[in-house]
Amino acid sequence: MQTHAKVVIIGGGMMGVGLAYHLAEAGWTDVLLLEKGELTSGSTWHAAGQCPSFIGNYNMAKIHHYGNMLYPRLEALTGHPTGWHGVGGIRLATTPEEVDWFRHVQGFAANVGFAMEIISPDRIRELNPWLKTDGILAGAHTTLDGHVDPSSACNSMAAGARQMGATIQRHTRVTGITRLPSGEFRVETEQGAVTCEHVVNAAGCYAREVGKWLGVDTPITNMEHQYLVTEPLAEFRDSPVELPVMRDPATAGYYRQEQKAGLIGIYEHVGAREAWAARGGWPEWSSENELFEGDLDRITPWLEKALERMPIFARAGIKRIINGAIPHTPDGNPLVGPMPGVANAWACCGSSIGIAQGAGCGKFLAQWMIEGDAEINMASVDPRRFGAYADQAYTRAKSF
């Protein structure tokens, strides 16, 4: 194992790999990414892979849009597929206030660079003939987004990072970090120690525990998120066109086509569950590719609404339920930037939609680390936006 690096990144999910790729692309190739298991083995591998353009924050929209422009061409750049499906998306509005929100986002969409049109219920039915549009006032239709295969996309960026000179070492668990009198960091691992100028907490579900090694209480709570995949549907098997990804406030989630089956994801409004609650919300260090038992009872009120909107789903059996942990911050934005009070220690974690945000967060954090600033305003993701009030109790309360 090498003993020195300019940058050590702790964590091999979409956020850590996205940063390694963009640091190497920008010329910082003395980068060592350490992953305790296999790449993607935390929360990346079990994600549904959604990559929406639509988001209500201008600079977050730039982060999303960058990824949606990179993923379709990443295979050509690295030689490794991403499983990109550029099917676009439709977000539904059932109240005048939601339509106003669409107009707000449309106001900056062109400036960011993503195509968005507010469409009528009739147009929604043209794009998704199996959707019941009762009560729908409008849709926000974005055409440059879609979904990826999370593991493929992450491994494609990892391949690109290696090709440009970065080093990725798997099966190497970090066990501690010490600040040296020189200002450098000594990163201890099960395979030995490495000294570095910059250290990055990209530890996903473990980010709060890694932050403690640097004396930082990282405001992250791990929450369970469930989605289910149906049995194949004849309607999808016989259709030459893949449906857009649908996002529906009534279901508090999303639904789309998954090959020839349906996929339905739910973010329950009440009754949400913290992952590993008995352990204070974080997993055993030995945890890898961990899923929890599915709990249909908990999401049934919202699942029923999804089946009302897409009756063809109700005719299909459930093939599998995926229930995995996803990190959350108190305001829903990731932690990307300097760790409070520790020079040259950086956070690249806390994303609840890391597949959509990993590439963009990596690009703009790389700029910040190398140039001292990023081309976008990073205030909404800066880890220092939270004060001491954002302790574990506060973070949990905001995440439930």
Side-chain angles (χ1 to χ4, degrees):
M1 176 173 170
Q2 70 186 75
T3 57
H4 291 81
K6 188 176 188 68
V7 182
V8 169
I9 301 170
I10 303 170
M14 201 68 158
M15 299 289 279
V17 168
L19 177 60
Y21 178 93
H22 289 93
L23 284 171
E25 183 183 50
W28 275 23
T29 57
D30 188 12
V31 173
L32 174 62
L33 184 148
L34 300 174
E35 164 55 44
K36 72 177 185 65
E38 290 287 350
L39 297 181
T40 81
S41 63
S43 57
T44 294
W45 73 276
H46 63 69
Q50 321 288 34
C51 297
S53 295
F54 187 107
I55 190 168
N57 178 292
Y58 175 71
N59 288 289
M60 290 303 304
K62 288 187 174 182
I63 288 172
H64 282 226
H65 179 61
Y66 173 78
N68 290 337
M69 295 296 96
L70 176 64
Y71 295 148
R73 58 191 183 90
L74 197 56
E75 182 174 357
L77 294 172
T78 69
H80 292 257
T82 63
W84 172 256
H85 291 248
V87 295
I90 302 175
R91 188 175 297 267
L92 305 176
T94 57
T95 68
E97 291 78 12
E98 288 167 346
V99 177
D100 286 342
W101 184 40
F102 288 178
R103 296 190 183 104
H104 166 71
V105 175
Q106 189 178 40
F108 61 71
N111 184 279
V112 171
F114 68 88
M116 174 186 159
E117 181 184 7
I118 300 175
I119 60 176
S120 68
D122 287 344
R123 177 59 177 153
I124 295 170
R125 281 192 297 271
E126 291 177 9
L127 295 167
N128 183 348
W130 296 287
L131 184 84
K132 291 182 65 176
T133 56
D134 303 23
I136 294 174
L137 301 181
H141 184 209
T142 52
T143 57
L144 297 178
D145 51 12
H147 57 94
V148 295
D149 174 72
S151 292
S152 296
C154 186
N155 278 289
S156 182
M157 277 201 294
R162 290 189 187 100
Q163 291 162 8
M164 291 183 286
T167 300
I168 295 176
Q169 187 161 325
R170 300 168 299 135
H171 306 292
T172 305
R173 181 167 77 84
V174 174
T175 58
I177 307 171
T178 304
R179 190 68 182 266
L180 301 176
S182 64
E184 296 173 304
F185 300 93
R186 181 179 173 87
V187 180
E188 303 283 350
T189 83
E190 295 175 326
Q191 311 298 330
V194 56
T195 301
C196 60
E197 297 177 37
H198 299 262
V199 65
V200 183
N201 181 358
C205 293
Y206 297 89
R208 190 167 182 272
E209 300 306 309
V210 170
K212 289 178 181 178
W213 295 334
L214 292 162
V216 177
D217 188 7
T218 307
I220 284 177
T221 295
N222 293 309
M223 303 296 293
E224 292 184 11
H225 171 58
Q226 298 186 86
Y227 67 90
L228 60 88
V229 179
T230 74
E231 297 288 350
L233 290 153
E235 291 87 346
F236 292 169
R237 186 181 62 244
D238 298 335
S239 175
V241 179
E242 185 177 348
L243 292 181
V245 180
M246 310 299 298
R247 295 177 174 86
D248 186 350
T251 67
Y254 52 86
Y255 38 91
R256 64 169 172 84
Q257 190 171 334
E258 173 69 5
Q259 302 299 327
K260 300 304 179 183
L263 184 150
I264 307 170
I266 301 295
Y267 295 99
E268 55 268 44
H269 289 154
V270 295
R273 181 177 296 170
E274 184 181 29
W276 306 291
R279 288 186 45 81
W282 71 283
E284 296 274 5
W285 288 110
S286 58
S287 174
E288 189 172 339
N289 300 105
E290 186 169 359
L291 293 176
F292 309 106
E293 186 175 353
D295 186 355
L296 280 178
D297 289 342
R298 194 163 87 235
I299 61 173
T300 290
W302 299 277
L303 179 59
E304 288 176 344
K305 294 181 183 299
L307 301 182
E308 289 171 7
R309 282 286 181 217
M310 288 284 289
I312 61 169
F313 287 164
R315 301 200 301 270
I318 297 174
K319 185 175 182 179
R320 64 183 183 274
I321 302 172
I322 295 87
N323 183 14
I326 297 179
H328 288 257
T329 64
D331 63 5
N333 283 351
L335 306 173
V336 183
M339 295 183 69
V342 188
N344 289 342
W346 306 84
C348 189
C349 54
S351 177
S352 57
I353 43 176
I355 309 306
Q357 296 172 352
C361 287
K363 175 183 174 64
F364 298 119
L365 180 55
Q367 291 177 350
W368 200 347
M369 292 173 67
I370 295 170
E371 306 294 342
D373 201 359
E375 66 186 74
I376 69 171
N377 186 331
M378 300 287 279
S380 58
V381 297
D382 191 327
R384 299 167 298 181
R385 69 189 184 271
F386 297 110
Y389 64 87
D391 57 12
Q392 188 174 19
Y394 175 87
T395 304
R396 281 175 168 169
K398 293 287 285 184
S399 299
F400 273 82

